[in-house]
Amino acid sequence: MIRFNNDYNCGAHPRVIEALAATNEESHPGYGLDEWCERGAQAIRDHAAAPHAAVHFVVGGTQANFLVIASALRPYQSVVSADTGHINVHETGAVEHAGHKVQALPSIDGKITAAQVEEVAHAFETSTVPEHVVQPKMVYVSYTTEFGTLYAKRELEELSAACRAHGLYLFVDGARMGYGLAAPESDVTLADIARLADAFTVGGTKCGALFGEAVVLANPALHEGFRSNMKQNGAMLAKGWLLGLQFATLFEPVGADAAVAGEAAVGAGAADGAVAEGETAGRPLVAAAARPSAGAEPLYLAIARRADEQALRIKAAFARADVPFFIESPTNQQFVVMPDDVLDDLAKKYAFEYEQRIDAAHSCVRFCTSWSTRPEDVDALVADIGALARAGRLA
Amino acid sequence: MIRFNNDYNCGAHPRVIEALAATNEESHPGYGLDEWCERGAQAIRDHAAAPHAAVHFVVGGTQANFLVIASALRPYQSVVSADTGHINVHETGAVEHAGHKVQALPSIDGKITAAQVEEVAHAFETSTVPEHVVQPKMVYVSYTTEFGTLYAKRELEELSAACRAHGLYLFVDGARMGYGLAAPESDVTLADIARLADAFTVGGTKCGALFGEAVVLANPALHEGFRSNMKQNGAMLAKGWLLGLQFATLFEPVGADAAVAGEAAVGAGAADGAVAEGETAGRPLVAAAARPSAGAEPLYLAIARRADEQALRIKAAFARADVPFFIESPTNQQFVVMPDDVLDDLAKKYAFEYEQRIDAAHSCVRFCTSWSTRPEDVDALVADIGALARAGRLA
Amino acid sequence: MIRFNNDYNCGAHPRVIEALAATNEESHPGYGLDEWCERGAQAIRDHAAAPHAAVHFVVGGTQANFLVIASALRPYQSVVSADTGHINVHETGAVEHAGHKVQALPSIDGKITAAQVEEVAHAFETSTVPEHVVQPKMVYVSYTTEFGTLYAKRELEELSAACRAHGLYLFVDGARMGYGLAAPESDVTLADIARLADAFTVGGTKCGALFGEAVVLANPALHEGFRSNMKQNGAMLAKGWLLGLQFATLFEPVGADAAVAGEAAVGAGAADGAVAEGETAGRPLVAAAARPSAGAEPLYLAIARRADEQALRIKAAFARADVPFFIESPTNQQFVVMPDDVLDDLAKKYAFEYEQRIDAAHSCVRFCTSWSTRPEDVDALVADIGALARAGRLA
Amino acid sequence: MIRFNNDYNCGAHPRVIEALAATNEESHPGYGLDEWCERGAQAIRDHAAAPHAAVHFVVGGTQANFLVIASALRPYQSVVSADTGHINVHETGAVEHAGHKVQALPSIDGKITAAQVEEVAHAFETSTVPEHVVQPKMVYVSYTTEFGTLYAKRELEELSAACRAHGLYLFVDGARMGYGLAAPESDVTLADIARLADAFTVGGTKCGALFGEAVVLANPALHEGFRSNMKQNGAMLAKGWLLGLQFATLFEPVGADAAVAGEAAVGAGAADGAVAEGETAGRPLVAAAARPSAGAEPLYLAIARRADEQALRIKAAFARADVPFFIESPTNQQFVVMPDDVLDDLAKKYAFEYEQRIDAAHSCVRFCTSWSTRPEDVDALVADIGALARAGRLA
């Protein structure tokens, strides 16, 4: 079974596992007050050009999201989100459980706009019964969104400006931050995020770590009491260094050497050059060396970049085969609409995620790459898509 | 100033005030464990033909709503509501504060359908990730809705059947139950509500009481611990008999005598017969005596009926003047769209509630009657609408 | 049955009922934004010499308590209370339901000391694991306490100083504020409370109102969002003026005329002079006129003063009979230990509250007076106690 | 620095790390629905002789505790705990944050008794105002307690009987379950716990795992919705197999071979036989082979047994030196009272945990062993204690 079903179906990047094993017998203070957490935090602060940000490490994304939201809001305040936002649809009502309404806005491609935020803020500010309605106080967006799409830097700047004009916090859920920042189409850096948002996360679980998310509180107004809230919500890991160590490892700069690339694709064997049928092959990793910033890139982005490249090879194959996209994604998740009988056949060889029924004979499915995706597995899928197209089964 | 702005802008029906004054020096057990509460509860059980229902009295509607919802749901369960539902838009997120997501559905005329409930239930039942989403466990509807509209008995039966088929509770918010049941268009009785819903409220605050809502738990599965939840949420009135006494008074059967009618219209002076311009005059109260059930009707319905009648006189006046309705309401709230300059003029004489801007020159406003509305005040409004129409100002 | 069981077993002082009846047909804005609420608030601000305090009116005491506490605290902060405090033992865990730990301290006579507060604050400040423990942020005391006892002004000054030295809020639950301030033994004024506390309540339910508590937020840091929290917790009365009107009535200054006194004792008939057996009779109300401040005293204190006086007559009778006190109370609640057979006999004529078993043959019970206690009923009890003593049944 | 400060200051037992590394490239379903979780759960069910128990894996102990408690209780119900219980003093009010009062009882050696539980239950059952007080519904105890002490099987049986007689759940916090079960003094097995308790945890974080706690719901009444509650509280690990794998590894039976023993003491070098001064040396691991059950013992117990043995060597050394114990512990935590100047000297070589000041010159400190404690480090401490005693510095 070749797995494209999600980006968290196997362990950690080898360097992370090595780091965990190598330090296993070291002794540390507990609860995140250790040197590794400080190193991981500093690496993120450096990379985000946010020297005064508070960085905390938690185990999971739902935990990170409701902690940031509940810690920032007073009881009568709400968080504004795309209706498709993870907090609105896939966290079992964790934000509401923490006491806050999620004000869900209609979204296009998983995104909301500054104009929508302005409208929500304006509606509250001009309400004749302000104490009878929740006060929008935070805007939640995801980078990448649940559909793999990206906000352009200009869009984030507009969202940030709208938030600041109306006294709302901007929170960027970065469970897939790596795949977003590393996408060829992205014009956003982590420093942009840190400059524009009040809080954001840097996801480890889906981006090379065994587990763990970094919570970055760029706005000092959000600092007070965060660790107490963590502990109270069971989000303070006793052996906190396990998290700091992973992020310190993932944010170490890597060169463009083949060894790293080889690692990133766990057990990779097939050469990229072997890809068939004229596809635009994944950008060879050596090419990265030519880019000025490549040498200083943290492992986190290097492995995400590879994952995006493999996803874009799959996307190109679907495009060549005229398979319709459910949504246009420039990152590691690809959503396509295919005939059910073809999906049945593909499912014998590949794992992918069923999304939803489209019509009596077609469904939307997701193919997802990750830091652990092997190029040769993508080769196989690309070849099979081509064969299906030639056989007229994708029409 | 003649007030049509809402249905809770003055005190209580005179009989309620009299009852409170007459019993002021009586001594009672506290916390709702008194004889008046038992009498009020029994009157409601009798009228609802629900001998096994638990009836509790609380002070306000928001309190009643979140208590019923939070008491019935486990933490990961949600309540389904029209997007326009009171719990979704006018209770400052009280349900979310109590930990539960409100799943808001698109609505027409403030109403949702059994088909929508089926769809929500089906989506959960067929979810591939049921533990990642909230479980819909209760459906919330209002009778009347926020727009004064009514569910037909058939619609409630379908909603109830859908809920029971999928294991959901049906909860009917009856803050304006009186105005709903008493409306000429209504084909629903309180016994229908008790038969079809698992829980409902019978609103006093807007329907003749000084304050207070009766919570009726028709489904025994909802009984356990309700009083503890009341106390914990500050909803157990120390002098609970004040609530029981009011409901006992409001649910006393009244005859169709003029004296009651005279009371109902506080300080009423003008005769209904004096209405001008060929309008369909409010049904004279004496006529009620001819109807078989009239003699046994509780005061609660008698006074609501009068309020509905006055509202329908206003509605008829607007219809004759070709004023467009924002929504068609058969009860005590009438929503119309009028030119802003006309509204400015009307506002010098009448209080009404501004709802929203429609276009550059028009707005939606609400005219609301209640048990305390005086027919002669309606006469005046009807006359003024006619005059404005004749002057061509409503075009 | 003569009732000494509690201080909320009948309606309202006649002036309150009159005010409600007289204004019943007036029309008001809803939700506490009316003129009566403003007048009631201003009367309290004036009496408390706290011109900048925010005053809100809610229906009940449990509601008032958890609202003040939850509105002031962040999630990881706690409130410190006597172990016997109402929030710790008689509110069904409302504070914990709102998310906060009640740190209960051992108490003497229902009171805690500044030294205890210092100790709790110091323990937190010097904790080596501050994020693993709750942060004490508010101190809750009651005036009077659940046992009817009083803090001396010096004790409150010390508590206040301890709180301010350590950044804690001081909150005074004044459900029985009237009985406290009016007690002969009290050296505290409402202005003292307002000066020393950050928040306090002025109880109406037990002190002459039909229902209602005033929440006074003396510290501006507690003002923001309070009305939103009220609405979210179902504590914003639709017809808010009902509360404002009652407090405006209760805080109107009264002279020392007999008419007021006559009212205060609902249906009072027996002259105080008729008391038997050399007891120290209740101080005659006319005497109050001699005191400089008496003329300006609000009705609230005038009627509480009478209740305290009646309680002290009962206390004196028990003292003369050598009945042991469970606790020494200078206010309207008297706790005594009596033989069970005597209690059985007394229960045929008087209602009183059973507190707890003391030994195989004795129990602690409470005799409670209120603004509605009639002197002739106290006469009867005083006489019966004397008779029991003479019969040797209280030994 | 030789570390006796706590039992979670280094990584995982080597076998756990090996398992994580060996399976790193395997692909698994997410969220605990994988084969490793099923294997880990089954191993625990087998070992606990609880074939119908539900077993869930979460990351941390605070998380496990509030999840079990909040999932079992309705809003107005409380959990009863020793005042020294972890949930009462070291979890930042997590249980209260989840809405429930912790009813703290005075404790001896960190333990409460069945008689105390009976008393709490009786007080509620006979309350005249049951809706004004929280309903005790669960009893929380720890095995081992925070002080390392143990409930005897008879004590647990009595607690369990008291709980069942009054309809309360019994919950055993097993953060240090291994050290408890493996203690020579213990007469309790995991099967006893499963038989007597409704829910318990089996701690991994302090007992050989990298992180993780198993939640065992022995009572089927507690099963429903637990996974939804986990997800809603951020306690469902995306890569759930990481937890299942660790527990599957820890609950694999091990023989009594030296290799295992060698592993257990990470990097252990010194022979146990080298201990000085006539102390009762740690029971050699080979001896374990002679005991009937030894061959089938899971790794979890084998390594805990070693830790207890090392702690008991330290205890014996203190006893020989006449150092007073703060509390008598038969497990891996030892609490002693020592002169401050001696502690200052010891702190240069050893890490231990400061507990509290005893008097001007003495403090209580904790020496803690774990699965990772090396016998030669204990040798050193034992020798140093002996030397201090001989120098008269411990008097």
Side-chain angles (χ1 to χ4, degrees), chain D residues 185-207:
Chain D
E185 187 178 288
S186 171
D187 62 352
V188 170
T189 66
L190 200 60
D192 291 326
I193 303 277
R195 173 174 57 88
L196 299 171
D198 297 278
F200 60 98
T201 56
V202 180
T205 302
K206 293 168 176 164
C207 301

mmCIF file of all heavy atoms in Angstrom, chain D residues 185-207:
data_model
loop_
_atom_site.group_PDB
_atom_site.id
_atom_site.type_symbol
_atom_site.label_atom_id
_atom_site.label_comp_id
_atom_site.label_asym_id
_atom_site.label_seq_id
_atom_site.Cartn_x
_atom_site.Cartn_y
_atom_site.Cartn_z
ATOM 1 N N GLU D 185 6.059 -4.022 49.534
ATOM 2 C CA GLU D 185 5.001 -3.929 50.535
ATOM 3 C C GLU D 185 3.600 -4.059 49.939
ATOM 4 O O GLU D 185 2.627 -4.306 50.658
ATOM 5 C CB GLU D 185 5.126 -2.560 51.233
ATOM 6 C CG GLU D 185 4.219 -2.378 52.413
ATOM 7 C CD GLU D 185 4.457 -1.020 53.062
ATOM 8 O OE1 GLU D 185 5.522 -0.854 53.698
ATOM 9 O OE2 GLU D 185 3.578 -0.144 52.922
ATOM 10 N N SER D 186 3.497 -3.884 48.632
ATOM 11 C CA SER D 186 2.169 -3.874 48.011
ATOM 12 C C SER D 186 1.519 -5.256 48.027
ATOM 13 O O SER D 186 2.157 -6.264 47.760
ATOM 14 C CB SER D 186 2.287 -3.409 46.551
ATOM 15 O OG SER D 186 1.052 -3.590 45.890
ATOM 16 N N ASP D 187 0.235 -5.282 48.335
ATOM 17 C CA ASP D 187 -0.520 -6.534 48.221
ATOM 18 C C ASP D 187 -1.618 -6.401 47.158
ATOM 19 O O ASP D 187 -2.613 -7.118 47.184
ATOM 20 C CB ASP D 187 -1.142 -6.927 49.571
ATOM 21 C CG ASP D 187 -2.146 -5.899 50.087
ATOM 22 O OD1 ASP D 187 -2.249 -4.801 49.481
ATOM 23 O OD2 ASP D 187 -2.818 -6.176 51.089
ATOM 24 N N VAL D 188 -1.390 -5.482 46.233
ATOM 25 C CA VAL D 188 -2.399 -5.146 45.230
ATOM 26 C C VAL D 188 -1.878 -5.479 43.833
ATOM 27 O O VAL D 188 -0.702 -5.267 43.551
ATOM 28 C CB VAL D 188 -2.730 -3.639 45.319
ATOM 29 C CG1 VAL D 188 -3.596 -3.198 44.149
ATOM 30 C CG2 VAL D 188 -3.422 -3.320 46.636
ATOM 31 N N THR D 189 -2.747 -6.013 42.992
ATOM 32 C CA THR D 189 -2.394 -6.240 41.594
ATOM 33 C C THR D 189 -3.228 -5.326 40.708
ATOM 34 O O THR D 189 -4.213 -4.728 41.147
ATOM 35 C CB THR D 189 -2.688 -7.694 41.178
ATOM 36 O OG1 THR D 189 -4.120 -7.872 41.225
ATOM 37 C CG2 THR D 189 -1.997 -8.691 42.084
ATOM 38 N N LEU D 190 -2.844 -5.233 39.451
ATOM 39 C CA LEU D 190 -3.619 -4.406 38.531
ATOM 40 C C LEU D 190 -5.032 -4.973 38.397
ATOM 41 O O LEU D 190 -5.999 -4.225 38.210
ATOM 42 C CB LEU D 190 -2.929 -4.335 37.164
ATOM 43 C CG LEU D 190 -3.356 -3.142 36.295
ATOM 44 C CD1 LEU D 190 -3.052 -1.806 36.978
ATOM 45 C CD2 LEU D 190 -2.698 -3.196 34.930
ATOM 46 N N ALA D 191 -5.134 -6.281 38.511
ATOM 47 C CA ALA D 191 -6.465 -6.897 38.444
ATOM 48 C C ALA D 191 -7.317 -6.485 39.647
ATOM 49 O O ALA D 191 -8.534 -6.309 39.523
ATOM 50 C CB ALA D 191 -6.346 -8.412 38.378
ATOM 51 N N ASP D 192 -6.678 -6.304 40.797
ATOM 52 C CA ASP D 192 -7.422 -5.803 41.952
ATOM 53 C C ASP D 192 -7.962 -4.399 41.655
ATOM 54 O O ASP D 192 -9.119 -4.089 41.930
ATOM 55 C CB ASP D 192 -6.527 -5.731 43.199
ATOM 56 C CG ASP D 192 -6.144 -7.110 43.713
ATOM 57 O OD1 ASP D 192 -6.970 -8.030 43.603
ATOM 58 O OD2 ASP D 192 -5.004 -7.257 44.213
ATOM 59 N N ILE D 193 -7.080 -3.573 41.126
ATOM 60 C CA ILE D 193 -7.489 -2.195 40.797
ATOM 61 C C ILE D 193 -8.675 -2.249 39.830
ATOM 62 O O ILE D 193 -9.683 -1.546 40.015
ATOM 63 C CB ILE D 193 -6.319 -1.419 40.160
ATOM 64 C CG1 ILE D 193 -5.082 -1.411 41.076
ATOM 65 C CG2 ILE D 193 -6.769 -0.024 39.757
ATOM 66 C CD1 ILE D 193 -5.091 -0.360 42.135
ATOM 67 N N ALA D 194 -8.559 -3.063 38.795
ATOM 68 C CA ALA D 194 -9.617 -3.113 37.781
ATOM 69 C C ALA D 194 -10.923 -3.642 38.353
ATOM 70 O O ALA D 194 -12.000 -3.287 37.892
ATOM 71 C CB ALA D 194 -9.156 -3.973 36.611
ATOM 72 N N ARG D 195 -10.809 -4.494 39.335
ATOM 73 C CA ARG D 195 -11.996 -5.071 39.957
ATOM 74 C C ARG D 195 -12.676 -4.075 40.893
ATOM 75 O O ARG D 195 -13.901 -4.024 40.982
ATOM 76 C CB ARG D 195 -11.571 -6.326 40.731
ATOM 77 C CG ARG D 195 -12.621 -6.997 41.586
ATOM 78 C CD ARG D 195 -12.095 -8.303 42.180
ATOM 79 N NE ARG D 195 -10.883 -8.141 42.971
ATOM 80 C CZ ARG D 195 -10.847 -7.858 44.277
ATOM 81 N NH1 ARG D 195 -11.980 -7.689 44.942
ATOM 82 N NH2 ARG D 195 -9.713 -7.729 44.925
ATOM 83 N N LEU D 196 -11.864 -3.256 41.544
ATOM 84 C CA LEU D 196 -12.392 -2.380 42.595
ATOM 85 C C LEU D 196 -12.725 -0.975 42.106
ATOM 86 O O LEU D 196 -13.574 -0.307 42.683
ATOM 87 C CB LEU D 196 -11.387 -2.297 43.749
ATOM 88 C CG LEU D 196 -11.097 -3.643 44.426
ATOM 89 C CD1 LEU D 196 -9.928 -3.512 45.406
ATOM 90 C CD2 LEU D 196 -12.347 -4.152 45.143
ATOM 91 N N ALA D 197 -12.044 -0.539 41.067
ATOM 92 C CA ALA D 197 -12.248 0.835 40.594
ATOM 93 C C ALA D 197 -13.128 0.848 39.357
ATOM 94 O O ALA D 197 -13.247 -0.146 38.638
ATOM 95 C CB ALA D 197 -10.913 1.495 40.281
ATOM 96 N N ASP D 198 -13.758 2.002 39.109
ATOM 97 C CA ASP D 198 -14.527 2.188 37.885
ATOM 98 C C ASP D 198 -13.639 2.691 36.764
ATOM 99 O O ASP D 198 -13.928 2.463 35.589
ATOM 100 C CB ASP D 198 -15.662 3.176 38.147
ATOM 101 C CG ASP D 198 -16.636 2.630 39.173
ATOM 102 O OD1 ASP D 198 -17.508 1.846 38.791
ATOM 103 O OD2 ASP D 198 -16.484 2.944 40.369
ATOM 104 N N ALA D 199 -12.590 3.387 37.141
ATOM 105 C CA ALA D 199 -11.646 3.911 36.162
ATOM 106 C C ALA D 199 -10.299 4.041 36.834
ATOM 107 O O ALA D 199 -10.219 4.281 38.039
ATOM 108 C CB ALA D 199 -12.108 5.268 35.655
ATOM 109 N N PHE D 200 -9.247 3.860 36.054
ATOM 110 C CA PHE D 200 -7.909 4.089 36.592
ATOM 111 C C PHE D 200 -6.971 4.417 35.451
ATOM 112 O O PHE D 200 -7.306 4.212 34.285
ATOM 113 C CB PHE D 200 -7.401 2.887 37.402
ATOM 114 C CG PHE D 200 -7.304 1.596 36.635
ATOM 115 C CD1 PHE D 200 -6.098 1.170 36.092
ATOM 116 C CD2 PHE D 200 -8.431 0.782 36.453
ATOM 117 C CE1 PHE D 200 -6.000 -0.030 35.403
ATOM 118 C CE2 PHE D 200 -8.347 -0.412 35.756
ATOM 119 C CZ PHE D 200 -7.129 -0.822 35.223
ATOM 120 N N THR D 201 -5.826 4.952 35.815
ATOM 121 C CA THR D 201 -4.824 5.195 34.791
ATOM 122 C C THR D 201 -3.598 4.349 35.080
ATOM 123 O O THR D 201 -3.340 3.960 36.214
ATOM 124 C CB THR D 201 -4.411 6.680 34.728
ATOM 125 O OG1 THR D 201 -3.949 7.096 36.011
ATOM 126 C CG2 THR D 201 -5.584 7.545 34.301
ATOM 127 N N VAL D 202 -2.859 4.071 34.038
ATOM 128 C CA VAL D 202 -1.591 3.367 34.147
ATOM 129 C C VAL D 202 -0.563 4.316 33.559
ATOM 130 O O VAL D 202 -0.532 4.551 32.343
ATOM 131 C CB VAL D 202 -1.621 2.035 33.377
ATOM 132 C CG1 VAL D 202 -0.282 1.322 33.504
ATOM 133 C CG2 VAL D 202 -2.757 1.151 33.880
ATOM 134 N N GLY D 203 0.227 4.886 34.442
ATOM 135 C CA GLY D 203 1.130 5.953 34.009
ATOM 136 C C GLY D 203 2.334 5.443 33.249
ATOM 137 O O GLY D 203 3.012 4.517 33.689
ATOM 138 N N GLY D 204 2.590 6.076 32.127
ATOM 139 C CA GLY D 204 3.785 5.756 31.366
ATOM 140 C C GLY D 204 4.885 6.784 31.567
ATOM 141 O O GLY D 204 6.057 6.430 31.702
ATOM 142 N N THR D 205 4.521 8.044 31.625
ATOM 143 C CA THR D 205 5.507 9.130 31.646
ATOM 144 C C THR D 205 6.574 8.923 32.724
ATOM 145 O O THR D 205 7.759 9.147 32.485
ATOM 146 C CB THR D 205 4.794 10.482 31.884
ATOM 147 O OG1 THR D 205 3.833 10.671 30.846
ATOM 148 C CG2 THR D 205 5.770 11.630 31.916
ATOM 149 N N LYS D 206 6.159 8.499 33.912
ATOM 150 C CA LYS D 206 7.088 8.341 35.033
ATOM 151 C C LYS D 206 7.594 6.909 35.164
ATOM 152 O O LYS D 206 8.394 6.620 36.046
ATOM 153 C CB LYS D 206 6.396 8.769 36.332
ATOM 154 C CG LYS D 206 6.089 10.257 36.355
ATOM 155 C CD LYS D 206 5.163 10.640 37.481
ATOM 156 C CE LYS D 206 4.998 12.165 37.490
ATOM 157 N NZ LYS D 206 3.854 12.610 38.296
ATOM 158 N N CYS D 207 7.116 6.035 34.315
ATOM 159 C CA CYS D 207 7.372 4.605 34.506
ATOM 160 C C CYS D 207 7.948 3.922 33.269
ATOM 161 O O CYS D 207 7.614 2.765 32.987
ATOM 162 C CB CYS D 207 6.084 3.899 34.919
ATOM 163 S SG CYS D 207 5.343 4.512 36.450
#
